[in-house]
Amino acid sequence: MQKLIWILWPSFVMAGIAEAVFFTLVDPQELYLFGEPVHMTPLATYSIGFFAFWALCAASSAFSCFLQRSAGAPRV
Amino acid sequence: MVQPAPRPESAGAKVIPIKETSLYEAQRKIYARSVSGTFANWRWAMVWITQAIFYGLCWLPWNGRQAVLFDLVERKFYIFGLVFWPQDVFYLAVLLIISALALFLFTAVAGRLFCGYACPQTVYTEIFMWVEKLFEGDRAARMKLDAAPLTGNKLARKGAKHAVWIVIGLWTGFTFVGYFTPIKTLAGSVLSWQLGPWETFWICFYGFATWGNAGFMREQVCKYMCPYARFQGVMFDPDTLIVTYDAERGEPRGARAKKADHKAAGKGDCVDCGICVQVCPTGIDIRNGLQYECIGCSACIDACDQVMDKMAYPRGLIRYSTEHALAERWGRGQILAHILRPRTLVYGAILSAIVAAAAAGLALRQPLKVDVIRDRTTLAREVEGGLVENVYRLQIMNLAEAPRRFALAVTGLPGVRIASEQIVEVAPAATQAVAVRVRVEPDAGKRGSNPIHFEVRAINHDEVFVREKASFLLP
Ligand code: SF4
Ligand code: SF4
């Protein structure tokens, strides 16, 4: 539970910031995905974008947690 | 748990056992006792004010639209008379800086004022605890209920509490989403069961977060998740107003009969009733000194004041004070005098300067923006009469909330003129793209790129004027 919060909560905050910065600069209707214009409603693009950022940041947090554990754990 | 490596002992140094307590350990559930008093009234006033603003503002009309709307689909932010476009992100950055500085200033002056009175986490917890008290009673009754076996009565009480919590949560989620898509349309789609999948999702997501944070996580959010709580220490100084227990007056604590002369018995003013601990939403004992868990809600002040009244002792055994004031026994006047000190003056000066600059920038902001894009397909071409023509695309953004007509002109080369439409009409708060053909005699400038300027002026509003640079290619 504690690890889960460590991973999900900071990444949630960072995803929020990333989302705000990214979509201030990029109009969701001018986005291209694999060379194709994105045909989703803006709200869907924003939401999926947010979850993509969240997943990415969570992966980074998880990586940090993992490194910390393997370095700090006593070796038997 | 990681064992601290044994350290070589230096002569005379005491070995201090390092005790690591892990975060999020199994929590003892906190049953905060409800409290009344001056500060509780202030807290409730702040609950009403902040929530009246949050739940109400999104319904306020302005210029025939929602007064405050962060329209994600249209990519425009409306705040009363102002319309912000993605190009105005600068103001957002300034707003963030202002908020951060204001937080520094308030924290330096009066500690965690924001936490105790205005933070959504505190405010919703306050509301949710009120509901809880309504259905389950106060502290003692709640503890009894939780310990009791599951009966119909218990189920009904808990069920009713959760039902009300969920309704509040969903309404909060709905309001939140209503700041990002027009709330009246949103309400219409809710009533006709035609809410889009993402709107539904976000309403539920936010509602769930409210329910979880205010109903269950409560003080743990402040203790373990809030970054502000962790770095508050650097913003405090010995003159910061904080909730403090006057140990000198209170100790040695101990129970006593009301009539007893406790001073003669060598006791301090604290009757060790523990009520200050019972009311504390974060479950700490303020008598142990300032702790980072303390959100400065002053519930313990109200509680202890009531105890002092009952004992007929002077109030303020727990009170707002500063580290300096406690040590030097300052009165109120001296505490107030120390609010003005270098740290607060510097924060205040920077803050006022930035606010003034941002306000001036907003006041002088031209309600018009123009982007010039060269037509990349045709660089320069020869047209009738031996003239050379370049084509541009002008993006004219009318920030005003009224339709406007703009006159286009071009300068920079002798005889340069616009050969296409020179009057452009733009709808309120809208963007209009126009293709503009510019012509000039072939010998009017040097070969290659020549600087020119587009001038866009609002008709009947001469002060609304923008000059944009572009380049004209001559073969
Ligand atoms: S409420 Fe006041 S008197 Fe009671 S234990 Fe706390 S400090 Fe002492
Ligand atoms: S110690 Fe007092 S002011 Fe601090 S959180 Fe607890 S009740 Fe609130």
Side-chain angles (χ1 to χ4, degrees), chain A residues 1-3 5-6 9 12 23-29 41-44 46-48 50-51 54 72 74, chain B residues 1-2 22-25 71-73 75 86-87 89 92 180-181 198-199 201-202 205 217 224-227:
Chain A
M1 181 64 186
Q2 151 194 352
K3 279 264 160 63
I5 295 183
W6 275 350
W9 169 240
F12 180 84
F23 284 113
T24 309
L25 304 176
V26 177
D27 185 335
Q29 277 167 331
T41 62
L43 207 59
Y46 287 125
S47 308
I48 293 171
F50 177 77
F51 283 106
W54 194 4
Chain B
M1 181 104 299
V2 184
S22 87
L23 298 179
Y24 320 110
E25 59 201 339
D71 195 331
L72 293 181
V73 175
R75 296 174 67 70
Q87 287 85 344
V89 63
L92 185 70
F180 297 94
T181 69
W198 286 108
E199 282 98 341
F201 171 79
W202 285 114
F205 185 89
M217 305 280 285
Y224 305 133
M225 289 164 71
C226 176

Side-chain angles (χ1 to χ4, degrees), chain B residues 236-418:
Chain B
F236 280 17
D237 61 27
D239 288 316
T240 298
L241 270 174
I242 44 175
V243 176
T244 49
Y245 164 71
D246 191 342
E248 198 180 297
R249 186 184 139 191
E251 301 296 322
R253 62 185 81 159
R256 78 283 313 264
K258 195 178 163 189
K259 295 267 152 52
D261 182 0
H262 61 290
K263 293 228 169 82
K267 278 189 184 146
D269 276 354
C270 173
V271 300
D272 206 10
C273 60
I275 293 192
C276 52
V277 184
Q278 291 179 14
V279 297
C280 177
T282 69
I284 58 169
D285 187 344
I286 189 67
R287 294 172 299 171
N288 297 337
L290 179 65
Q291 295 144 74
Y292 93 90
E293 290 96 334
C294 172
I295 57 171
C297 69
S298 345
C300 52
I301 301 187
D302 280 336
C304 189
D305 277 350
Q306 281 172 3
V307 176
M308 293 295 111
D309 288 354
K310 254 186 231 140
M311 299 300 294
Y313 298 166
R315 290 180 158 205
L317 177 56
I318 302 179
R319 62 175 184 270
Y320 270 112
S321 186
T322 70
E323 208 183 306
H324 267 157
L326 270 192
E328 329 249 325
R329 302 209 189 109
W330 284 345
R332 182 179 289 237
Q334 273 163 303
I335 294 178
L336 291 182
H338 279 80
I339 286 179
L340 295 181
R341 54 185 186 271
R343 183 193 275 248
T344 57
L345 291 177
V346 169
Y347 284 159
I350 301 176
L351 187 62
S352 344
I354 295 181
V355 170
L362 271 182
L364 298 175
R365 191 169 74 131
Q366 282 284 3
L368 165 66
K369 282 191 167 68
V370 178
D371 276 347
V372 182
I373 307 155
R374 278 194 60 90
D375 185 359
R376 277 180 235 163
T377 49
T378 51
L379 291 177
R381 65 173 181 217
E382 211 162 303
V383 291
E384 71 264 29
L387 296 176
V388 176
E389 181 180 273
N390 279 201
V391 182
Y392 303 83
R393 239 172 84 90
L394 259 59
Q395 291 268 33
I396 301 178
M397 291 170 247
N398 175 21
L399 306 196
E401 289 198 76
R404 282 218 168 130
R405 278 147 47 85
F406 296 99
L408 313 182
V410 62
T411 58
L413 285 172
V416 66
R417 60 188 185 81
I418 293 176

Side-chain angles (χ1 to χ4, degrees), chain A residues 1-17 50 53-55 57-59 61-62 65, chain B residues 23-24 119 121 205-206 209 213 217 220-230:
Chain A
M1 181 64 186
Q2 151 194 352
K3 279 264 160 63
L4 210 64
I5 295 183
W6 275 350
I7 293 169
L8 289 182
W9 169 240
S11 52
F12 180 84
V13 176
M14 291 325 282
I17 296 173
F50 177 77
F53 279 128
W54 194 4
C57 297
S61 293
C65 272
Chain B
L23 298 179
Y24 320 110
C119 175
Q121 179 61 31
F205 185 89
Y206 201 85
N213 282 342
M217 305 280 285
Q220 301 188 41
V221 173
C222 312
K223 280 196 207 167
Y224 305 133
M225 289 164 71
C226 176
Y228 173 60
R230 298 296 182 87

